[in-house]
Amino acid sequence: MINSIVNQFKQRNFLFGFILILAAIILIGIYKPAVLVEGLQRSALYALIALPMALLLGIVDIINLAHGEFMMVGAYFAYFMSAQFGMDPIVSVLPALLIFFIFGLIVYYLTFKHIIGKPPLNQLLLGFGISLILSEGMTAIATNAPRKLSLDYVSSSASIGGVTFGTFEFVYVAGALIVLLGMQLLLKKTATGQAAVAVGQNPRGARVVGINVNNIYLLIFCVSIALISAIGPLFMTRYTLFPQMGSSFTLKSFSLVAVGGMGSITGVVYAALILGMGETLVLSSLKYGKWAEIIYFALIIGVIMYRSHQRQVK
Amino acid sequence: MKYSKYLAVLVLFIVAAALPNYLGLYQLQIMNFVFVYIAFALSWDMLLRSGQLSFGIAGFAGIGGYTSVLCGYNFALSPILCILIGSAVAGIVALFVGSQVLKLRGLYFSIVTLAIGEIFRVIVRNLEVTGAAEGILLPNAIFMGNATKTYWLMFAIATFTIIISILFQKTRIYYALTSISNDEIVAASSGVNIFKYLVIIFVVTSAIQGMAGAAYWQIYASVTPEGAFNLGFALLPITMALFGGVGTTWGPVIGSAILSVTAEYLKLQFPHGHLLVYGFIMVAAILWFPSGIMGVFKQFTAKFNT
């Protein structure tokens, strides 16, 4: 794995981009140190949310437009577990992983299984339909009222050198690192992961060499759903819940995957760093704070322009 | 067979023309919904025939709505003129976006159209000119709120969309777009200017969506960011078109007519989560009956004839 990182640095473009990001981060650190810590936490949350989509879309080419909605359902699961049985949201990550793996299995067998190999339009529409079912189903169960748990440890804070910041949010950093490392190990070190990469590159070729393509799709889909739903409990400790919150995260995750480059897991993390730092920087200014949401649109548009320019050159 | 088709259209037209005399205010209001959704669903389907999936209905409807209401509010122009300006602005935005994004097709196009509505919602919510989060309230609704006249306006817009759709089915644009959606490489090598046709159809359909959106918000005489760029405007027409049957002119029309009346009923019965039904219809349509009601109907008549 270290080798692959070293190889990345040998590419000039990558090195240039990396230095640019590093310089920007150092500048921000000098200008507003609090932004640096908060930006890191926000970036980690974005990376955490986008990584499951990077696995599904980047590796095996399935677009799941209900991505954010699965996170929303996971968050509501943790909320109700906490409200009914007093289960701590952090603890409920584990049952969420198991339950939503099975949920993903059911969803895959009922819907996505019949769509694989068909035009991508069908996948988009199907995902849109599922996202509607999930968000409206949740509205029917839990109404539109925003919900929020009040937990003591969430608001804990520490200060270093006059900069005060929340300590709980480092959960996102830890989570992102664990998920990133896990995915890298899965894809690089295990036979299943290698098979998944092969299926993504050429499903027919993979079938010819004896890979069970259906099982790979099934596994990657379920892992992705389980991961994104298990992020829900972590998400809801800090943010307010409502049934429509998912769609903006689907868009953000997609733009991160597109910016990071389809098929690149580490690329998504760099893209998340840009988005998280940029948003936090804009949020920290009193006058322009409302415009923070514009940042990721700039990201999407920039990448699309770049890609379509590349296509023209070809 | 050929004459019966024209006869059916004629009967439909006469019924639609006679309706304002028999319906109450609330039913006329529902008819306005039906016409708006016909314009949305049919224009969405027209773009889909070229193989491009757009989620931008909400965005373009919102752009048209905001432009027309802003024109009426600031310059006190006549509502009809405002609607036309709204339509034109939506078309110009589509021209700009399309000339950039249509070179990259499939996924990227769909996602960018999905983002358009979100982008404009953020912009509109933060600018003072557009009334920020409260939106804008016009002093008067279009035609002073006369229900019969608004009915005719919406009816005209829906009819206009149907005529454009039929024209597209009859002219060479149809063959160009069909060849593009079948196989782009073959289309390009037989001399079809793919990019040009895709931009044309994207601009035309977006202008229609802008017009319908503009008329819709002129009836309400107000716009708010959350209302105008509501994702429901993207979801419902897509479901209606899928339900009715994509790739035809009358499929989306029938789908919109049935589902927008049902939507009103469901809204009253289940205030929370009535769109759930639409999600199920959408998923079921993609998985089990991809050619919608029209497809089922055609199968049935084919069986009946043999």
Side-chain angles (χ1 to χ4, degrees):
Chain A
M1 209 173 102
I2 291 166
N3 258 352
S4 74
I5 292 173
V6 171
N7 278 335
Q8 276 182 328
F9 276 102
K10 283 182 185 156
Q11 294 168 349
R12 195 196 285 164
N13 276 346
F14 181 81
L15 195 64
F16 182 70
F18 186 79
I19 290 171
L20 214 68
I21 295 175
L22 205 67
I25 288 174
I26 291 170
L27 274 180
I28 294 171
I30 295 166
Y31 171 59
K32 275 182 184 167
V35 169
L36 195 63
V37 181
E38 240 166 70
L40 183 71
Q41 290 161 345
R42 186 177 275 261
S43 310
L45 178 63
Y46 283 149
L48 202 53
I49 294 172
L51 278 171
M53 185 183 257
L55 186 70
L56 195 58
L57 176 61
I59 305 300
V60 293
D61 253 340
I62 299 176
I63 170 90
N64 173 19
L65 272 192
H67 186 73
E69 272 72 18
F70 278 105
M71 183 179 87
M72 179 272 295
V73 174
Y76 268 98
F77 166 76
Y79 178 86
F80 286 124
M81 287 303 264
S82 175
Q84 295 290 322
F85 308 111
M87 186 186 261
D88 193 279
I90 307 285
V91 180
S92 64
V93 166
L94 290 175
L97 270 174
L98 184 71
I99 288 173
F100 285 100
F101 189 88
I102 296 164
F103 187 52
L105 203 82
I106 296 166
V107 170
Y108 180 83
Y109 268 112
L110 284 180
T111 59
F112 273 88
K113 187 176 189 293
H114 309 284
I115 277 304
I116 280 169
K118 299 255 177 72
L121 301 188
N122 287 343
Q123 276 180 28
L124 286 165
L125 284 172
L126 184 65
F128 212 43
I130 293 175
S131 78
L132 190 60
I133 292 177
L134 291 180
S135 66
E136 287 296 314
M138 199 45 86
T139 313
I141 295 170
T143 74
N144 271 327
R147 286 160 197 271
K148 178 98 176 63
L149 276 188
S150 56
L151 299 159
D152 296 334
Y153 57 80
V154 171
S155 49
S156 62
S157 67
S159 58
I160 299 172
V163 182
T164 310
F165 50 87
T167 44
F168 171 75
E169 285 89 342
F170 280 107
V171 152
Y172 299 134
V173 181
L177 284 177
I178 292 169
V179 172
L180 175 67
L181 282 176
M183 273 188 196
Q184 290 282 30
L185 280 179
L186 174 75
L187 291 175
K188 297 259 160 70
K189 294 289 172 202
T190 64
T192 320
Q194 293 282 308
V197 175
V199 169
Q201 282 167 355
N202 187 346
R204 194 180 287 172
R207 188 172 280 130
V208 168
V209 297
I211 294 169
N212 190 336
V213 177
N214 284 336
N215 279 2
I216 294 290
Y217 280 131
L218 173 69
L219 180 77
I220 298 291
F221 186 84
C222 293
V223 167
S224 170
I225 298 297
L227 278 177
I228 186 63
S229 306
I231 289 159
L234 292 182
F235 180 84
M236 61 80 69
T237 50
R238 195 73 189 78
Y239 297 89
T240 309
L241 282 184
F242 54 97
Q244 282 78 29
M245 71 181 200
S247 64
S248 76
F249 285 99
T250 309
L251 267 178
K252 278 185 182 169
S253 309
F254 178 83
S255 67
L256 289 180
V257 175
V259 172
M262 299 283 176
S264 164
I265 299 287
T266 42
V268 173
V269 178
Y270 296 127
L273 265 179
I274 300 175
L275 178 65
M277 288 288 174
E279 270 197 11
T280 319
L281 191 64
V282 176
L283 272 177
S284 73
S285 118
L286 276 180
K287 197 173 167 194
Y288 299 106
K290 294 184 292 186
W291 291 93
E293 276 179 81
I294 281 293
I295 296 267
Y296 94 91
F297 297 127
L299 253 178
I300 296 192
I301 290 165
V303 166
I304 300 267
M305 299 281 231
Y306 175 67
R307 290 266 155 87
S308 88
H309 175 70
Q310 266 187 329
R311 194 174 168 124
Q312 250 173 330
V313 172
K314 271 182 197 168
Chain B
M1 187 64 200
K2 204 167 188 189
Y3 289 109
S4 68
K5 214 181 211 174
Y6 289 116
L7 201 69
V9 172
L10 193 71
V11 168
L12 212 66
F13 194 85
I14 292 170
V15 168
L19 272 179
N21 297 328
Y22 299 103
L23 294 181
L25 274 178
Y26 176 59
Q27 281 91 338
L28 279 180
Q29 172 87 358
I30 293 176
M31 284 312 288
N32 287 344
F33 286 138
V34 172
F35 291 139
V36 164
Y37 282 122
I38 285 177
F40 284 154
L42 195 52
S43 58
W44 176 81
D45 183 55
M46 278 156 71
L47 188 60
L48 189 75
R49 289 174 208 160
S50 67
Q52 310 304 312
L53 174 63
S54 161
F55 290 120
I57 305 168
F60 290 114
I63 292 169
Y66 254 96
T67 317
S68 78
V69 170
L70 275 175
C71 279
Y73 185 75
N74 291 326
F75 311 119
L77 299 174
S78 86
I80 300 286
L81 192 62
C82 292
I83 291 172
L84 291 179
I85 296 173
S87 164
V89 170
I92 291 166
V93 172
L95 179 67
F96 178 73
V97 174
S99 60
Q100 291 302 327
V101 184
L102 280 170
K103 283 185 196 113
L104 295 166
R105 282 186 268 298
L107 215 53
Y108 285 98
F109 177 76
S110 303
I111 298 285
V112 167
T113 52
L114 188 56
I116 288 173
E118 302 275 313
I119 292 176
F120 276 93
R121 174 160 60 191
V122 174
I123 292 176
V124 154
R125 200 168 49 203
N126 288 322
L127 286 181
E128 290 297 314
V129 191
T130 53
E134 288 104 66
I136 305 169
L137 197 67
L138 279 178
N140 272 315
I142 187 167
F143 306 131
M144 298 301 179
N146 183 326
T148 317
K149 280 181 180 169
T150 50
Y151 173 89
W152 281 110
L153 174 73
M154 300 319 281
F155 180 65
I157 289 175
T159 315
F160 174 70
T161 316
I162 293 172
I163 290 171
I164 295 273
S165 167
I166 291 172
L167 278 182
F168 271 19
Q169 295 280 52
K170 301 264 184 229
T171 52
R172 56 188 297 162
I173 294 181
Y174 168 71
Y175 298 104
L177 293 176
T178 313
S179 70
I180 292 168
S181 78
N182 285 342
D183 192 331
E184 282 191 11
I185 298 166
V186 172
S189 55
S190 42
V192 178
N193 188 341
I194 296 180
F195 184 60
K196 187 183 88 182
Y197 281 115
L198 285 182
V199 171
I200 289 176
I201 187 90
F202 184 49
V203 169
V204 169
T205 54
S206 308
I208 291 173
Q209 285 155 15
M211 181 160 64
Y216 186 84
W217 292 109
Q218 283 282 349
I219 292 175
Y220 280 96
S222 70
V223 273
T224 55
E226 310 306 326
F229 295 101
N230 187 350
L231 206 56
F233 275 135
L235 291 163
L236 290 179
I238 292 177
T239 318
M240 290 166 185
L242 282 171
F243 180 68
V246 290
T248 56
T249 299
W250 296 106
V253 173
I254 294 168
S256 322
I258 296 173
L259 287 191
S260 41
V261 174
T262 331
E264 271 307 300
Y265 175 75
L266 286 173
K267 206 188 279 176
L268 295 177
Q269 296 295 315
F270 312 99
H272 291 293
H274 63 276
L275 292 175
L276 189 60
V277 181
Y278 283 67
F280 281 118
I281 291 177
M282 205 160 161
V283 171
I286 297 158
L287 292 177
W288 296 306
F289 57 111
S291 46
I293 290 185
M294 284 298 272
V296 174
F297 180 69
K298 265 180 195 155
Q299 267 177 0
F300 183 74
T301 49
K303 245 180 218 167
F304 191 73
N305 284 342
T306 49

